[in-house]
């Protein structure tokens, strides 16, 4: 399979950025289900890992996982509908921004427990090895999860059993409002992973081509049973969630941080290739913008799930779903 | 019919499930080379290989989390936690992950895993290795909870658990592994249904796990005093077979729930509440709960024994409920 081109990477990153901007818009217009919306603007270079993944590969993500889902082929309309808590969303409006999942897409789910999804990728990788396939499981998470015990249990098991799994840490420097330097005494995450027997590399997340170059051998190695950690160093352009105005960091830091923009860099490099390319980029940007606009409008116009959906999907069999409380009360009071 | 132990019946259930379906894998601490802390998986690594009988590091969250991922991608993992007390470490993966995934992902995604573990008192294993924590699982929507009491349960309930499309917390009792019984060809009841072990007309005693045997002993003592107790083995707390227990109480008009789990906010409270709702007009007396004392489990054998009900207490409480039989010294 040929490597994704810079144009491919740009397009994927543009889609992420545009989608996330529309999520912000959805919130401002009152269309989102709640404000627990974690945008990945500034972290788009993760698209390099997503585009290196193949059909059949799976992934788990953290709560800030919209971009990963988009870059793996997620449908922006179904994602936006889910974020709005609407019935046409990926989870029928029952999961929301932090739980978008689609097994057909290889998405084993976004997770709202820091580190919660990481061992699922290890278990999935075990299943791929059992079926003797070449599939790879990628666990995406933030730097906050680098301080969670479950990550190290997972790394140890992956290395012990030589599983096809890549741990992809998107280090945006902040766990909510706490800078990484206030969360860990030693920041050499690559050394941590290597001490477990993993292959490991860091990538400059401001440069999607460098991220691609760092990720490629790790994914190839994982496919052969050498698990790996990739740390993508980037900067979270905005607050933790929509209500967070980042009072814990100063404007100067944010101004500098937002210069580490993988999308702007890729665009500038592509635009240098001539006027025809520049025109193509403008056209692409516009097409993506209108696609995302449509996703927002459809999400706002869509319907919430029917009331009966409260009681579906708790268990596999429809006949075994919980008895609605009013029905239970009516039954008891009718009999007494 | 043949006489066997709970340990052997559990091992046979696992082995038969693995032989029947190559997707079934067993993972946990000491399940392979060691043969299981209580010997349930003895010999299985030789028969099925280390890739299907997987020795794990001491990483409880990792064990359960890995099992979730396996289940998502088509395997049928039977994970083992050596003691139910260790659930405290793995609870995120069980309650926030395994139990939630189907619902929060929109209903289509199954996590068919079984988490086998064991609990209860009887070996002076003290406060962190003796608890009865089934309520922790039963309070989480999306999670099935099964507790075998008999040899027949150990085999058939575990086989049924492995066939479930939903995650199952399967809690054995450490005091039952060597107990013997008949292993029949069929389960005493279908999955999710309780089993009426002993018929009677004077009161209904509802129990499960090892406490069922104490209830049956008490029933024998009651019979000597002319009191016929109906004894029900719940087998699963989720699903909870309200129909069977309510039908019995409508017949006997008196009910007692006997559990090893501590009294407060425990399974006995939930069952008693359901019975008073379902059978209010049929009850002659309050639904009694005979349960574990609200204390951590102590190591001294006399204190440990005193921390949970015994057959004598069930017997005495039943006599008081019926105002028949000998009057206990403590009243």
């Amino acid at each position: 399979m040929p490597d994704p081109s810079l144009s491919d990477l740009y397009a994927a990153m543009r889609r992420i950025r545009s989608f996330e901007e529309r999520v912000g818009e959805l919130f401002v217009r009152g269309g989102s289900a709640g404000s627990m919306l974690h945008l990945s603007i500034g972290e788009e270079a993760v698209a390099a890992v997503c585009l290196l993944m193949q059909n059949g590969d799976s992934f788990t993500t953290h709560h800030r996982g919209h971009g990963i889902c988009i870059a793996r082929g997620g449908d922006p309309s179904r994602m936006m509908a889910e974020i709005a808590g609407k019935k046409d969303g990926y989870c029928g409006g029952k999961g929301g921004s932090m739980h978008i999942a689609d097994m057909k897409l290889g998405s084993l789910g976004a997770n709202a427990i820091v580190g919660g999804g990481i061992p699922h990728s290890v278990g999935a990788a075990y299943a791929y090895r059992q079926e003797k396939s070449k599939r790879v499981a990628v666990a995406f998470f933030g730097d906050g999860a680098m301080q969670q015990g479950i990550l190290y249990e997972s790394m140890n098991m992956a290395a012990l059993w030589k599983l096809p799994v890549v741990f992809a840490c998107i280090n945006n420097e902040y766990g909510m409002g706490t800078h990484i330097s206030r969360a860990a005494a030693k920041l050499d995450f690559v050394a941590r992973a290597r001490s477990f027997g993993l292959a490991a590399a860091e990538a400059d997340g401001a440069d999607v081509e460098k991220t691609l170059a760092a990720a490629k051998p790790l994914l190839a190695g994982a496919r052969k049973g050498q698990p790996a950690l990739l740390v993508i160093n980037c900067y979270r352009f905005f607050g933790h969630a929509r209500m967070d105005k980042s009072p814990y960091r100063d404007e100067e830091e944010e101004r500098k941080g937002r210069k580490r923009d993988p999308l702007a860099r890729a665009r500038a490099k592509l635009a240098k290739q001539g006027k025809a390319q520049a025109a193509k980029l403008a056209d692409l940007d516009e097409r993506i913008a209108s696609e995302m606009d449509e996703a927002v409008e459809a999400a706002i116009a869509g319907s919430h799930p029917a009331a009966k959906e409260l009681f579906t999907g708790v268990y596999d069999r429809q006949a075994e779903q919980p008895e609605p409380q009013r029905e239970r009360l009516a039954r008891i009071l009718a009999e007494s | 019919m043949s006489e066997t132990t709970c340990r052997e019946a559990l091992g046979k259930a696992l082995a038969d499930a693995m032989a029947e379906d190559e997707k079934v894998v067993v993972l946990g601490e000491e399940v392979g080379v060691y043969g299981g802390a209580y010997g349930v998986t003895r010999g299985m690594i030789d028969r099925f290989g280390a890739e299907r009988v997987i020795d794990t590091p001491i990483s409880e969250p990792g064990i359960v989390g890995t099992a979730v991922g396996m289940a998502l991608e088509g395997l049928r993992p039977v994970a083992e936690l050596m003691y139910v007390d260790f659930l405290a470490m793995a609870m995120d993966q069980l309650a926030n992950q395994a139990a939630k995934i189907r619902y929060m992902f929109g209903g289509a995604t199954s996590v068919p895993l079984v988490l086998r573990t064991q609990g209860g008192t009887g070996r002076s294993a003290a406060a962190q290795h003796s608890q009865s924590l089934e309520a922790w699982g039963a309070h989480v929507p999306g999670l099935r909870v099964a507790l075998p009491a008999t040899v027949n349960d150990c085999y058939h309930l575990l086989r049924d658990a492995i066939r479930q499309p939903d995650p199952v917390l399967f809690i054995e009792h450490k005091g039952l592994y060597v107990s013997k019984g008949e292993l029949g060809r069929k389960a005493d009841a279908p999955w999710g249904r309780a089993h009426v072990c002993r018929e009677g007309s004077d009161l209904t005693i509802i129990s499960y796990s090892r406490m069922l045997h104490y209830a049956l002993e008490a029933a024998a003592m009651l019979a000597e005093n002319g009191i016929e107790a109906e004894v029900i083995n719940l087998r699963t707390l989720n699903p909870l077979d309200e129909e069977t227990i309510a039908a019995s109480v409508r017949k006997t008009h008196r009910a007692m729930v006997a559990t090893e789990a501590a009294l407060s906010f425990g399974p006995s409270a939930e069952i008693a509440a359901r019975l008073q709702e379902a059978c209010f007009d049929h009850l002659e007396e309050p639904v009694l709960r005979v349960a574990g004392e609200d204390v951590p489990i102590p190591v001294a054998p006399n204190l440990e024994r005193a921390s949970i009900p015994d057959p004598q207490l069930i017997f005495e409480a039943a006599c008081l409920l019926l105002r028949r039989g000998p009057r206990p010294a403590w009243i």
Side-chain angles (χ1 to χ4, degrees):
Chain A
M1 207 176 78
D3 285 351
S5 68
L6 184 58
S7 296
D8 298 335
L9 293 163
Y10 173 78
M13 293 197 296
R14 179 78 256 173
R15 286 169 63 79
I16 296 173
R17 178 75 54 97
S18 294
F19 181 84
E20 296 288 48
E21 287 167 352
R22 297 314 183 283
V23 174
E25 184 195 326
L26 183 74
F27 170 70
V28 170
R29 289 170 64 182
S32 66
S35 63
M36 300 271 276
L37 306 168
H38 309 88
L39 305 188
S40 60
I41 293 175
E43 306 176 10
E44 292 88 348
V46 73
V49 181
C50 299
L51 267 56
L52 281 168
M53 290 168 68
Q54 298 173 6
N55 284 343
D57 291 349
S58 71
F59 62 100
T60 53
T61 82
H62 54 336
H63 58 290
R64 201 177 299 282
H66 300 161
I68 294 154
C69 193
I70 287 278
R72 283 304 298 148
D75 175 351
S77 293
R78 290 186 69 195
M79 290 176 63
M80 199 67 80
E82 190 55 45
I83 292 165
K86 298 296 175 71
K87 69 178 174 58
D88 294 329
Y90 268 112
C91 311
K94 288 155 85 170
S97 165
M98 298 191 289
H99 300 303
I100 294 171
D102 182 24
M103 296 298 283
K104 289 194 220 53
L105 208 61
S107 166
L108 308 188
N111 216 294
I113 304 292
V114 174
I118 296 170
H120 308 171
S121 287
V122 174
Y126 199 99
Y128 305 154
R129 201 189 61 181
Q130 286 291 88
E131 71 190 16
K132 299 190 167 45
S133 71
K134 291 285 174 199
R135 300 164 74 187
V136 167
V138 182
F140 293 96
F141 49 88
D143 46 283
M146 290 302 300
Q147 275 58 253
Q148 280 279 33
I150 190 68
L151 172 64
Y152 299 100
E153 295 188 11
S154 299
M155 280 186 176
N156 181 51
M157 287 194 272
L160 184 67
W161 297 331
K162 301 182 172 55
L163 298 179
V165 56
V166 174
F167 301 93
C169 172
I170 301 157
N171 176 8
N172 68 16
E173 297 189 5
Y174 281 89
M176 201 166 161
T178 302
H179 190 262
I180 186 73
S181 61
R182 295 201 295 124
K186 295 270 280 179
L187 298 177
D188 191 348
F189 299 149
V190 164
R192 287 192 199 176
R194 285 183 182 149
S195 76
F196 279 87
L198 269 66
E202 267 183 280
D204 175 6
D207 186 325
V208 72
E209 288 179 300
K210 284 184 183 165
T211 304
L212 184 80
K216 193 181 168 186
L218 297 183
L219 268 153
R223 229 172 270 289
K224 293 177 189 151
Q226 172 58 60
L229 170 74
L230 174 67
V231 181
I232 303 171
N233 293 315
C234 51
Y235 189 74
R236 195 186 72 202
F237 281 16
F238 298 102
H240 165 67
R242 283 292 72 196
M243 302 302 277
D244 175 21
K245 307 282 183 234
S246 316
Y248 41 82
R249 55 190 201 184
D250 60 37
E251 279 180 32
E252 176 63 8
E253 183 200 302
E254 291 198 337
R255 196 182 56 77
K256 278 189 185 158
R258 287 175 188 158
K259 282 190 177 162
R260 290 161 58 189
D261 184 341
L263 184 73
R265 279 200 205 179
R267 197 179 200 288
K269 191 169 174 185
L270 286 167
K272 278 187 199 151
Q273 292 172 357
K275 280 193 174 168
Q277 180 64 280
K280 264 170 73 179
L281 285 173
D283 181 50
L284 177 72
D285 289 356
E286 197 161 317
R287 271 191 290 118
I288 291 172
S290 54
E291 182 191 5
M292 300 305 170
D293 284 339
E294 281 172 27
V296 173
E297 298 308 328
I300 289 172
S303 305
H304 287 297
K308 69 176 170 57
E309 296 299 329
L310 181 63
F311 301 102
T312 60
V314 184
Y315 303 101
D316 177 71
R317 299 181 191 102
Q318 185 52 39
E320 295 180 3
Q321 305 306 338
E323 183 180 23
Q325 190 145 203
R326 284 176 181 78
E327 288 177 26
R328 186 179 69 84
L329 291 170
R331 176 171 57 79
I332 291 162
L333 296 170
E335 283 169 12
S336 69
Chain B
M1 298 279 272
S2 62
E3 178 115 318
T4 186
T5 62
C6 282
R7 173 190 288 145
E8 286 162 349
L10 291 161
K12 181 172 160 55
L14 287 173
D16 287 356
M18 291 186 81
E20 203 174 278
D21 181 358
E22 64 174 19
K23 298 288 188 192
V24 177
V25 297
V26 167
L27 70 157
E29 295 156 10
E30 309 291 358
V31 297
V33 174
Y34 193 96
Y38 282 89
V40 170
T41 53
R42 199 171 289 157
M44 284 180 53
I45 193 168
D46 299 325
R47 183 168 169 198
F48 297 105
E51 295 208 337
R52 292 183 66 201
V53 182
I54 307 157
D55 274 323
T56 68
I58 303 171
S59 304
E60 286 84 5
I63 292 164
V64 182
T66 298
V68 171
M70 288 172 162
L72 285 172
E73 286 294 23
L75 293 178
R76 287 247 164 196
V78 182
E80 179 176 322
L81 283 187
M82 204 182 282
Y83 288 81
V84 74
D85 313 71
F86 307 165
L87 203 54
M89 310 200 52
M91 206 58 180
D92 174 55
Q93 289 300 327
L94 187 67
N96 287 331
Q97 310 296 341
K100 300 287 191 291
I101 280 175
R102 180 188 300 284
Y103 190 85
M104 78 184 179
F105 291 174
T109 311
S110 288
V111 188
L113 70 81
V114 174
L115 182 58
R116 269 189 61 236
T117 185
Q118 58 80 26
T121 61
R123 291 178 62 93
S124 278
Q128 296 172 339
H129 285 68
S130 304
Q131 297 173 86
S132 296
L133 298 176
E134 53 270 23
W136 289 14
H139 196 59
V140 178
L143 189 60
R144 303 302 196 182
V145 181
L147 299 104
T150 64
V151 164
N152 222 31
D153 283 350
C154 285
Y155 182 82
H156 294 287
L157 200 54
L158 183 53
R159 289 301 305 270
D160 279 349
I162 297 170
R163 293 188 192 105
Q164 292 307 307
D166 303 309
V168 181
L169 175 61
F170 190 90
I171 309 176
E172 298 151 19
H173 196 292
K174 63 171 66 61
L176 288 178
Y177 286 120
V178 295
S179 76
K180 287 185 176 172
E182 295 290 333
L183 176 53
R185 293 169 64 92
K186 288 175 77 175
D188 294 326
W191 170 261
R193 300 310 296 259
H195 176 230
V196 180
C197 303
R198 184 189 194 284
E199 291 192 10
S201 53
D202 294 326
L203 86 156
T204 302
I205 306 176
I206 296 143
S207 193
Y208 56 88
S209 193
R210 187 179 61 174
M211 194 55 64
L212 176 77
H213 301 281
Y214 291 8
L216 287 167
E217 280 183 51
M221 294 156 72
L222 289 166
E224 287 169 18
N225 287 272
I227 299 168
E228 292 303 325
E230 184 143 298
V231 180
I232 297 180
N233 176 10
L234 274 179
R235 302 170 77 248
T236 54
L237 295 185
N238 180 350
L240 183 63
D241 184 1
E242 192 178 307
E243 199 178 313
T244 297
I245 58 176
S248 174
V249 173
R250 286 189 194 110
K251 180 180 81 175
T252 63
H253 310 295
R254 289 174 183 83
M256 180 196 298
V257 191
T259 71
E260 184 163 334
L263 180 80
S264 295
F265 303 93
S268 60
E270 176 63 29
I271 294 160
R274 297 232 188 174
L275 285 174
Q276 71 84 12
E277 284 177 339
C279 309
F280 187 76
D281 289 342
H282 300 271
L283 284 165
E284 296 285 347
E285 302 289 342
V287 179
L288 274 196
R289 291 180 292 151
V290 176
E293 303 289 350
D294 284 325
V295 299
I297 308 297
V299 76
N302 61 322
L303 296 185
E304 186 192 32
R305 275 194 301 276
S307 72
I308 64 159
D310 59 7
Q312 183 69 25
L313 179 62
I314 298 171
F315 166 73
E316 290 170 350
C319 289
L320 287 171
L321 194 67
L322 284 143
R323 296 183 180 82
R324 283 157 63 184
R327 193 173 169 80
W330 44 266
I331 202 150

